[in-house]
Amino acid sequence: MARATTNAAAAPAPAQELSGPAQHGLELYRRMLVIRRFEETVQSLFQKGEVHGTTHLYIGEEAGAVGVGDVLKAQDRAAGTYRGHGHALGLGVDPQALLDEMLGRASGVCGGRAGSMNVIDLAHRLIGCFGIIGGSISAATGAALALRREDGVAVAFFGEGTTNHGYFHECLNFAAVRKLPVLYMCENNLYGEFTPWEDVTAGEIEARPRTLGIHTETIDGNDVWAVREAAGAAVERARAGEGPQFIQSMTYRFVGHSRSDPGAYRKPGELDRWKQRDPLLVARTKLTGELGVPPSGVDEVDAAVEAQIDAMIEAALAAPYPDPSLPVREFAPQAEHAP
Amino acid sequence: MARATTNAAAAPAPAQELSGPAQHGLELYRRMLVIRRFEETVQSLFQKGEVHGTTHLYIGEEAGAVGVGDVLKAQDRAAGTYRGHGHALGLGVDPQALLDEMLGRASGVCGGRAGSMNVIDLAHRLIGCFGIIGGSISAATGAALALRREDGVAVAFFGEGTTNHGYFHECLNFAAVRKLPVLYMCENNLYGEFTPWEDVTAGEIEARPRTLGIHTETIDGNDVWAVREAAGAAVERARAGEGPQFIQSMTYRFVGHSRSDPGAYRKPGELDRWKQRDPLLVARTKLTGELGVPPSGVDEVDAAVEAQIDAMIEAALAAPYPDPSLPVREFAPQAEHAP
Amino acid sequence: MADLEFRRAIRDALDEELARDERVVFFGEDVAKPGGVFAVTPGLFDAHGEERVFDTPISELAITGAAFGAAVSGLRPVIEIMFGDFLPLAMDGLVNQAAKYWYLSNEQASVPLVVRSAVGAGGRFGAIHSQSPVPWFQAVPGLRIVAPSTPVDAKALLKGAIRDDNPVLFFEHKRLYSIKEPLPDDPIEAATLGEARVVREGGDLTVVTAMRGVHDALAAAEQLSADGIELEVIDLRTLRPLDLPTVLASVRKTNRLLALEEGPLTGGWAGELVARVSEEALGELDDVWRLTTKDLPIPYSPPLEDAFLPGTDAIVANVRGRLVAA
Amino acid sequence: MADLEFRRAIRDALDEELARDERVVFFGEDVAKPGGVFAVTPGLFDAHGEERVFDTPISELAITGAAFGAAVSGLRPVIEIMFGDFLPLAMDGLVNQAAKYWYLSNEQASVPLVVRSAVGAGGRFGAIHSQSPVPWFQAVPGLRIVAPSTPVDAKALLKGAIRDDNPVLFFEHKRLYSIKEPLPDDPIEAATLGEARVVREGGDLTVVTAMRGVHDALAAAEQLSADGIELEVIDLRTLRPLDLPTVLASVRKTNRLLALEEGPLTGGWAGELVARVSEEALGELDDVWRLTTKDLPIPYSPPLEDAFLPGTDAIVANVRGRLVAA
Ligand SMILES: Cc1ncc(C[n+]2csc(CCOP(=O)(O)OP(=O)(O)O)c2C)c(N)n1
Ligand SMILES: Cc1ncc(C[n+]2csc(CCOP(=O)(O)OP(=O)(O)O)c2C)c(N)n1
Ligand SMILES: [Mg+2]
Ligand SMILES: [Mg+2]
């Protein structure tokens, strides 16, 4: 189980004479943009009948996965959800292999077997994307049992709706009691499917982990630097033996929950207000302002990502489907075990 | 589904010229004593091979079930646990039918089908005793959905170890969101089986329901009057539409978790300290002190209960076993449904 | 004449039972205000109000456990567990509480409770949103499992399930939601659970199936008829308990049984059916076999999933191979 | 020569595997400091320390989910779900995560995970502490189910299960914990999963069973032998996958199959076995049937439970009735 040490996807960031923070900021922006364009691609290929079943897009929430992915070390791992394309890309999963998977191609990251909701890529530290609510939480909790042996930290991504699930409560208590190095990254996008969080959730979400003695924080999930900072500190506290950490990352999904969602549940004006806090916009503003990146520098990234995605689509559509006649093994064969 | 309106078991309390509170206190004492003697009987009949499998005794915790049972109305219901003999008796289940059930007799409250861990007696408001951790919580939560239509309240008994279970979290949130009339009665006897609660439980238990906006209270679970008062107020708040209520009732089990338990986990001196707070002792002290009952009055109750139990044992041992050759119906037959 | 869509049939059954019986309540994730992720339950919230029809937290333990508690306390709950794949999270309340209560209570009370769940593959939903949960529950005494194949049956059987006094799992195959059939003139009444139906007569081979498999088997039967092979197709409609008499009567005529199940070979209802028929009619059987999926998770990729499922073509090929070889 | 008790065999297997392989960890409710509610795991906590052997909260979702996460991240967890009856609460992690990972990940990683659980009736534990969970899991591709009948096998198979790279359910029948057999001279090595064993040869009828049923069948065979009826008894040892070749070889000799299962008639492994054998060897079967419990919850009352279970007397009566009638 090799683990990659890089978050770099194909296209390099422009190597002008930018400062370290600016350079790094531009790279964060680029990663978010790759996710955004990736998701738009999935959406349009879904409409064209090339992506199937259902998909849950991460549009509007990109800062979360990119911010967290940026602070993880080689020995760390993360578990994402059915809304996991962003989680995967944030960890450095190859966008081409991910897109191929969406299209059910043999070159997909799971050979086309998994599809949108169940992507697994251990080489890029992705334990998996979990179609079952709470699956990411328990997987990361367990991974932490293993990773702590090599100074690693596990991250679980999940939505606010998931904090009502038994998995959430049991695993956070379990991790707290065992002081496991795990970051519980709750992406609060205000809705679970079509239901507003406040309709089905008693009390304040952040208070739940806090009563378990877990360090908690609520952050602006649309500011990639804010996410980075909070996640970085949390991961290092976890690594230092301070036990599980909880972040509530406030964000918003700009598109439907899944393919067919008219969004009737949204409150008036809500979508527009959140769009003004689009993580890409927030990043561009900071880059071209505070960080002194010329607008053309950002435009260059835009163009590079555009080109990258165009090439990816072409390659994905040309990739072969898996061959159904090939034999498949139900069980893993026995590996050698040292005595 | 008839519901009994009385908590009175067979033997009447002595009807001297006692004050109301004294009279009532003596009755509470009597009910606790019935549970105590019942449990001792189960224990000794277990050793004699007349009670089978496993049993979980309520010895030391009697004030909880009696205090709660005393404040419930005819339209209320409760769900107990595998440690449920006390819960059942507290609600008014016939001790003879309950003992017969322990002995697997046809005259048992469930015809001998259920045994110690699964007793059900709807006629006495007992939804059931639940062998699965959390079963009582979910059953009472659901019952509250029904009972609120008739101004009823549901009670769930469960141990502190159960607050780490998914059922606990999911149901309390569910009940809080729907403002259900349910009292969550957490009997904290410091151990889940052989494991000290603090080894497996993060944070303070009472804080968990509190963060869900549920009214909570921690009480002396060995003082039947304290239980009565807290439970009575909680049940009436629930009935009044204030939503779910939580009581942490601090208590201690004097005997093993189940039949074979050497109790090695107990802290030195702990058992002795708690025995000084034996609910029967606490009650006797208050009765003969503050409430002005002559010691002979209490002794009379002791003797009456003793006689009652002796007769019960004899009757139970003489009761016939169910006939295995009788036909049994897998499914309930169709009842008439009004159109 | 108007058409009845499968999803609409479900909705109407719920609507009518909610109207008919005050004790009926309906809850689940996103079922009330949003009307369900498969758009099956729109309008019920508006028609019957928030006390009777409501959205729950994402809490399968609580939903199922609460439905059980409500059912033994006077209500007749219908719950939705969105995808059948999530039923393991609801299983304790069904297996350990609801299914045992009637017996353990010595018949004090039954548990009138229905769990609706969308099941089945073919929609490219992947391994964890496409399973058939039947095998997980078929060995649970006290449970009924209903699996309709047509809109009219869906309505009649759901009404029957709601009026049944036992816990019922009601499975809705995702690839049936959009099928339609003409609305009959007479109102659709509640059907009794547990009765299979011969949906096509034929003398050469009895094909027993359910849900989507009924449509695939009927289509295969048409093709095979051209070859002179006549299938008798039985729609089980209820998968627990199995209607053995109807199956045996047919097998005694055709002497051949194919159990067609969308689900893994090992441990499914098809195996149970083959075992029952073999036990009861060994001497009258010339051939008996199953057509199912392989013992593997359900793949996402379209060509993989298509090849994985025992659809019409697979049935035709399988029957031809078997009957020509025989 | 010293005796090996079943519960001790389990303990020793764990102890030796914990010592052999650093990646092995063991956790569950009351398993570490208290040594287990069936006194199966004493001393492991002292020997291997709190990082490797620990007590958990009462949290079956977390225990199983965490075991899965640990298994795909480099550990080889063994967990205890105290009673098999509690497995519905652990099922999601097993069915939807562990069992599918190898396939869905396109063989990136396997899930070396063992779930130990005490199963079976006859101990007067009542309906919710006595079940056989096999049927709930037998239709789950990617899972193995191991069910030993003797102390030596228990040790060998548990070691084999821990070294197996797939998720394994390891069932310990409560009425076997106290049985003993002589300790062999040679160390007990890990057994390969999936291999049945003919434990008694006989020409008249093949009886296939597992766990406690093996002992009951052998005792019945002795009694029936006096009548001139010779049973061939097969101990399946692994219930998923079934070792069909061993069963078929025997059935081809005896032409009669009795599948003996402690569990409900409908939907158990016995049905699956009968179906397989009927499909594969229909022409060679003179008779095939099952002896199981009724489709009811398990009763508490001793006379009810005794009559409910297919013990030695029931087997003898059943076989006599069937073979004399034949
Ligand atoms: C156990 C389980 N129950 C229900 C679902 C269906 N479901 C998928 S996404 C979702 C909403 C999740 O909301 P949240 O946790 O807020 O995450 P978000 O989708 O908003 O990112 C639900 C109910 C599921 N996948 N698994
Ligand atoms: C789901 C489930 N897991 C485990 C058990 C085994 N078990 C029975 S009692 C018990 C301890 C419960 O402790 P607590 O909740 O404190 O209640 P107490 O027994 O102390 O009254 C456990 C783990 C069970 N019955 N159900
Ligand atoms: Mg959300
Ligand atoms: Mg306790």
Side-chain angles (χ1 to χ4, degrees):
Chain A
M1 286 180 285
R3 290 184 201 127
T5 54
T6 168
N7 279 301
Q16 293 161 302
E17 60 319 358
L18 291 173
S19 73
Q23 188 79 45
H24 181 240
L26 209 52
E27 172 58 13
L28 294 176
Y29 171 83
R30 191 188 66 77
R31 290 183 202 158
M32 292 196 291
L33 188 64
V34 167
I35 296 176
R36 174 69 54 90
R37 295 286 171 263
F38 184 94
E39 295 294 61
E40 289 167 353
T41 299
V42 168
Q43 195 166 29
S44 91
L45 289 175
F46 191 94
Q47 271 141 19
K48 294 192 181 118
E50 289 288 347
V51 173
H52 316 272
T54 188
T55 56
H56 306 79
L57 305 179
Y58 199 60
I59 292 177
E61 309 191 24
E62 295 88 347
V66 169
V68 171
D70 195 47
V71 302
L72 297 184
K73 294 201 175 154
Q75 71 271 29
D76 301 334
R77 281 190 175 182
T81 67
Y82 48 86
R83 194 180 304 294
H85 311 159
H87 304 143
L89 295 171
L91 288 166
V93 172
D94 175 15
Q96 182 73 60
L98 191 65
L99 188 63
D100 292 1
E101 185 67 27
M102 302 300 108
L103 275 70
R105 308 300 166 123
S107 45
V109 58
C110 296
R113 291 178 177 184
S116 171
M117 287 196 272
N118 308 312
V119 172
I120 297 163
D121 188 358
L122 289 168
H124 293 96
R125 305 176 297 176
L126 178 66
I127 300 166
C129 293
F130 291 86
I132 296 283
I133 291 293
S136 61
I137 294 180
S138 64
T141 303
L145 276 173
L147 299 180
R148 66 147 56 154
R149 293 193 179 187
E150 8 180 333
D151 214 27
V153 174
V155 179
F157 291 97
F158 55 95
E160 86 297 331
T162 303
T163 65
N164 294 325
H165 203 274
Y167 266 124
F168 173 81
H169 179 69
E170 290 197 3
C171 289
L172 268 70
N173 180 62
F174 185 100
V177 164
R178 299 215 62 73
K179 281 199 158 251
L180 295 181
V182 51
L183 166 58
Y184 295 104
M185 179 74 184
C186 176
E187 303 185 288
N188 186 342
N189 62 6
L190 310 186
Y191 296 92
E193 299 202 330
F194 320 128
T195 297
W197 78 273
E198 65 274 15
D199 285 8
V200 288
T201 311
E204 287 304 319
I205 289 174
E206 197 184 340
R208 296 175 176 193
R210 206 191 301 123
T211 63
L212 303 176
I214 292 174
H215 186 287
T216 70
E217 196 173 347
T218 292
I219 64 169
D220 175 356
N222 282 14
D223 176 344
V224 70
W225 289 274
V227 174
R228 226 199 140 271
E229 195 180 335
V235 162
E236 292 320 315
R237 280 193 302 272
R239 203 185 308 282
E242 294 182 33
Q245 309 289 319
F246 179 92
I247 291 175
Q248 177 176 220
S249 178
M250 301 306 301
T251 186
Y252 197 77
R253 112 177 107 62
F254 294 167
V255 294
H257 164 72
S258 59
R259 26 141 221 181
S260 51
D261 170 8
Y265 47 83
R266 296 188 198 273
K267 290 160 190 86
E270 190 178 67
L271 179 58
D272 289 338
R273 275 198 309 281
W274 277 94
K275 280 201 168 162
Q276 286 160 24
R277 299 267 317 139
D278 183 332
L280 290 172
L281 211 60
V282 171
R284 181 180 267 270
T285 306
K286 175 151 169 173
L287 284 169
T288 54
E290 194 180 319
L291 290 174
V293 179
S296 63
V298 186
D299 294 344
E300 260 173 57
V301 171
D302 289 359
V305 169
E306 215 69 54
Q308 180 193 356
I309 296 278
D310 286 347
M312 265 172 53
I313 296 173
E314 207 170 312
L317 287 170
Y321 282 105
D323 177 356
S325 66
L326 289 180
V328 175
R329 301 187 291 186
E330 180 182 354
F331 293 107
Q334 217 43 33
E336 282 313 303
H337 301 295
Chain B
M1 286 181 284
R3 291 187 199 125
T5 54
T6 168
N7 280 299
Q16 293 162 305
E17 60 317 2
L18 290 175
S19 73
Q23 187 79 44
H24 180 240
L26 209 52
E27 172 59 13
L28 294 176
Y29 171 84
R30 191 189 65 76
R31 290 184 203 156
M32 292 196 290
L33 188 64
V34 168
I35 296 177
R36 174 69 54 91
R37 294 284 172 264
F38 184 93
E39 294 294 60
E40 290 167 353
T41 300
V42 168
Q43 195 165 30
S44 91
L45 289 175
F46 191 95
Q47 271 140 20
K48 293 191 182 120
E50 290 287 346
V51 173
H52 315 272
T54 189
T55 56
H56 305 79
L57 304 178
Y58 199 60
I59 292 177
E61 310 191 23
E62 295 87 348
V66 169
V68 171
D70 195 47
V71 302
L72 296 185
K73 294 201 174 155
Q75 69 271 31
D76 301 334
R77 281 189 174 182
T81 67
Y82 47 87
R83 194 180 306 293
H85 310 159
H87 304 144
L89 295 171
L91 288 166
V93 171
D94 175 16
Q96 182 73 59
L98 190 64
L99 188 63
D100 292 2
E101 185 68 28
M102 302 300 108
L103 274 72
R105 308 301 166 122
S107 44
V109 58
C110 298
R113 292 178 176 184
S116 172
M117 287 194 272
N118 308 312
V119 172
I120 297 163
D121 188 358
L122 289 169
H124 294 94
R125 305 175 298 178
L126 179 65
I127 301 167
C129 294
F130 289 87
I132 296 282
I133 291 294
S136 60
I137 294 179
S138 63
T141 303
L145 275 173
L147 299 180
R148 67 150 53 157
R149 293 192 179 187
E150 8 181 331
D151 214 26
V153 174
V155 179
F157 290 97
F158 56 93
E160 86 298 331
T162 303
T163 65
N164 294 324
H165 204 274
Y167 267 124
F168 173 80
H169 179 68
E170 289 197 5
C171 289
L172 268 70
N173 179 62
F174 185 101
V177 163
R178 299 215 62 74
K179 280 199 158 250
L180 294 181
V182 51
L183 165 59
Y184 295 104
M185 178 75 183
C186 176
E187 304 186 288
N188 187 343
N189 63 7
L190 310 187
Y191 297 91
E193 300 202 327
F194 320 128
T195 297
W197 77 274
E198 64 275 15
D199 285 7
V200 288
T201 311
E204 287 304 321
I205 289 173
E206 197 184 342
R208 296 175 174 193
R210 207 190 300 121
T211 62
L212 302 177
I214 292 174
H215 186 288
T216 71
E217 196 173 348
T218 291
I219 64 169
D220 175 356
N222 282 14
D223 177 344
V224 69
W225 290 274
V227 174
R228 226 198 141 273
E229 196 180 334
V235 162
E236 292 319 316
R237 278 193 302 271
R239 203 185 308 282
E242 294 182 33
Q245 309 288 319
F246 179 92
I247 290 175
Q248 177 176 220
S249 176
M250 301 307 300
T251 186
Y252 197 77
R253 112 177 105 63
F254 293 168
V255 294
H257 163 73
S258 59
R259 29 142 218 183
S260 53
D261 170 7
Y265 48 83
R266 295 187 199 274
K267 290 163 189 85
E270 190 179 66
L271 180 58
D272 289 339
R273 275 197 309 282
W274 277 94
K275 281 201 166 162
Q276 286 161 23
R277 300 266 317 140
D278 183 332
L280 290 172
L281 211 60
V282 171
R284 181 180 268 268
T285 307
K286 174 151 171 173
L287 284 168
T288 53
E290 193 181 320
L291 290 174
V293 178
S296 63
V298 186
D299 293 344
E300 260 173 58
V301 171
D302 289 358
V305 169
E306 216 68 57
Q308 179 193 358
I309 295 278
D310 287 348
M312 263 172 53
I313 295 174
E314 209 169 312
L317 287 169
Y321 282 103
D323 178 354
S325 67
L326 289 180
V328 175
R329 300 187 289 187
E330 179 183 354
F331 293 107
Q334 217 44 31
E336 281 315 302
H337 300 294
Chain C
M1 199 200 291
D3 273 347
L4 179 64
E5 196 186 18
F6 193 95
R7 57 160 56 77
R8 175 78 197 201
I10 305 283
R11 199 208 85 93
D12 289 353
L14 281 166
D15 191 32
E16 292 170 25
E17 292 303 303
L18 281 159
R20 188 186 64 83
D21 186 344
E22 271 243 306
R23 298 167 303 174
V24 176
V25 294
F26 173 52
F27 53 97
E29 296 160 15
D30 301 286
V31 299
K33 287 185 206 166
V37 296
F38 291 102
V40 174
T41 56
L44 299 177
F45 170 80
D46 289 332
H48 304 283
E50 136 110 299
E51 193 61 26
R52 309 269 314 279
V53 177
F54 57 89
D55 295 312
T56 67
I58 309 172
S59 305
E60 285 81 12
L61 291 172
I63 294 168
T64 317
F68 158 72
V72 299
S73 302
L75 299 187
R76 304 182 75 84
V78 181
I79 59 173
E80 176 176 306
I81 299 294
M82 196 181 292
F83 283 79
D85 312 70
F86 310 158
L87 282 168
L89 291 162
M91 189 163 170
D92 175 62
L94 296 171
V95 169
N96 284 326
Q97 317 304 351
K100 294 184 172 41
Y101 201 78
W102 163 251
Y103 174 83
L104 282 184
S105 74
N106 207 16
E107 307 192 358
Q108 288 174 52
S110 60
V111 185
L113 152 63
V114 178
V115 184
R116 290 182 46 242
S117 224
V119 306
R124 322 304 189 204
F125 283 92
I128 305 170
H129 285 71
S130 304
Q131 295 169 88
S132 163
V134 177
W136 307 337
F137 291 97
Q138 69 168 335
V140 180
L143 273 191
R144 297 195 199 268
I145 304 177
V146 177
S149 70
T150 67
V152 170
D153 252 16
K155 182 164 178 187
L157 288 165
L158 182 50
K159 294 181 102 174
I162 294 172
R163 297 189 203 183
D164 193 280
D165 272 332
N166 300 280
V168 180
L169 285 168
F170 188 89
F171 290 141
E172 302 164 13
H173 197 293
K174 294 194 252 344
R175 278 188 295 151
L176 296 177
Y177 274 137
S178 297
I179 69 162
K180 291 180 176 154
E181 70 180 310
L183 196 64
D185 292 331
D186 294 327
I188 300 170
E189 304 291 350
T192 304
L193 308 188
E195 296 175 1
R197 181 186 292 139
V198 179
V199 291
R200 184 186 197 279
E201 298 198 6
D204 296 321
L205 167 66
T206 301
V207 179
V208 181
T209 187
M211 295 190 278
R212 173 71 197 202
V214 175
H215 302 269
D216 295 337
L218 286 173
E222 289 315 303
Q223 291 187 36
L224 288 162
S225 183
D227 299 5
I229 300 173
E230 295 301 339
L231 304 190
E232 179 137 314
V233 179
I234 296 180
D235 180 355
L236 283 171
R237 300 167 79 235
T238 295
L239 293 174
R240 176 184 175 86
L242 291 169
D243 179 358
L244 203 61
T246 299
V247 175
L248 281 174
S250 174
V251 169
R252 293 207 158 103
K253 184 174 78 171
T254 64
N255 305 116
R256 284 192 190 82
L257 170 65
L258 163 58
L260 169 67
E261 177 177 12
E262 188 198 301
L265 174 70
T266 302
W269 62 259
E272 176 62 28
L273 187 84
V274 166
R276 283 281 167 110
V277 171
S278 300
E279 289 173 318
E280 299 280 327
L282 188 66
E284 288 158 286
L285 272 179
D286 290 336
D287 204 358
V288 59
W289 77 101
R290 290 175 276 181
L291 182 59
T292 65
T293 73
K294 289 193 179 143
D295 281 335
L296 287 172
I298 298 156
Y300 160 71
S301 177
L304 294 185
E305 191 181 36
D306 288 341
F308 191 74
L309 295 175
T312 301
D313 293 349
I315 300 166
V316 170
N318 178 273
V319 171
R320 267 200 199 121
R322 195 89 178 196
L323 262 64
V324 171
Chain D
M1 204 200 289
D3 272 346
L4 180 64
E5 197 187 17
F6 193 94
R7 58 160 55 76
R8 175 79 197 199
I10 304 282
R11 198 208 86 93
D12 289 352
L14 280 166
D15 191 31
E16 291 170 25
E17 293 302 304
L18 281 159
R20 190 187 61 85
D21 186 343
E22 272 245 306
R23 297 168 302 175
V24 177
V25 296
F26 173 53
F27 53 97
E29 296 160 16
D30 301 285
V31 299
K33 287 184 205 164
V37 295
F38 291 102
V40 174
T41 56
L44 299 178
F45 170 79
D46 289 332
H48 305 282
E50 135 111 302
E51 193 60 26
R52 308 271 312 280
V53 177
F54 58 88
D55 294 313
T56 67
I58 309 172
S59 305
E60 286 80 12
L61 291 173
I63 294 168
T64 317
F68 157 72
V72 299
S73 304
L75 300 185
R76 304 183 75 83
V78 181
I79 59 172
E80 177 176 306
I81 299 294
M82 196 181 290
F83 283 78
D85 311 71
F86 311 158
L87 281 170
L89 291 162
M91 190 165 170
D92 176 61
L94 296 171
V95 168
N96 284 327
Q97 318 304 349
K100 294 186 172 40
Y101 200 78
W102 164 251
Y103 174 83
L104 282 184
S105 73
N106 206 15
E107 307 193 357
Q108 288 175 50
S110 59
V111 185
L113 153 63
V114 178
V115 184
R116 291 181 45 242
S117 225
V119 306
R124 321 305 187 204
F125 282 93
I128 304 172
H129 285 71
S130 303
Q131 295 168 90
S132 163
V134 177
W136 307 337
F137 291 97
Q138 69 168 337
V140 180
L143 274 189
R144 295 194 200 270
I145 303 177
V146 178
S149 70
T150 69
V152 170
D153 252 16
K155 181 164 178 186
L157 287 166
L158 181 51
K159 295 180 101 173
I162 294 171
R163 297 190 203 181
D164 193 281
D165 273 330
N166 301 280
V168 180
L169 285 167
F170 188 90
F171 291 142
E172 302 164 13
H173 197 292
K174 294 192 235 20
R175 278 188 296 151
L176 295 177
Y177 274 137
S178 298
I179 70 161
K180 290 181 177 151
E181 72 181 307
L183 195 62
D185 293 330
D186 294 327
I188 299 171
E189 304 292 350
T192 305
L193 309 187
E195 295 176 1
R197 183 186 290 138
V198 178
V199 290
R200 184 186 197 278
E201 298 199 4
D204 296 322
L205 167 65
T206 300
V207 179
V208 181
T209 186
M211 296 189 279
R212 172 72 196 203
V214 175
H215 302 270
D216 295 338
L218 286 173
E222 288 315 303
Q223 290 187 38
L224 288 162
S225 183
D227 298 4
I229 299 173
E230 295 301 339
L231 305 190
E232 179 138 314
V233 179
I234 295 180
D235 180 355
L236 282 172
R237 301 167 80 233
T238 296
L239 293 174
R240 179 184 173 86
L242 292 168
D243 179 358
L244 202 62
T246 299
V247 175
L248 281 174
S250 174
V251 169
R252 295 208 156 102
K253 184 174 78 173
T254 63
N255 304 115
R256 285 191 190 83
L257 171 65
L258 164 57
L260 170 67
E261 177 177 11
E262 189 198 301
L265 174 70
T266 302
W269 62 257
E272 176 61 28
L273 189 83
V274 166
R276 284 281 167 110
V277 171
S278 301
E279 287 173 318
E280 299 280 328
L282 188 67
E284 288 158 287
L285 272 179
D286 291 337
D287 204 358
V288 59
W289 77 101
R290 289 174 278 182
L291 183 58
T292 65
T293 72
K294 288 190 181 147
D295 281 336
L296 289 171
I298 298 156
Y300 160 72
S301 177
L304 295 185
E305 190 179 37
D306 288 341
F308 190 75
L309 295 175
T312 302
D313 293 349
I315 300 167
V316 169
N318 177 274
V319 171
R320 268 202 198 119
R322 195 88 178 196
L323 263 64
V324 170

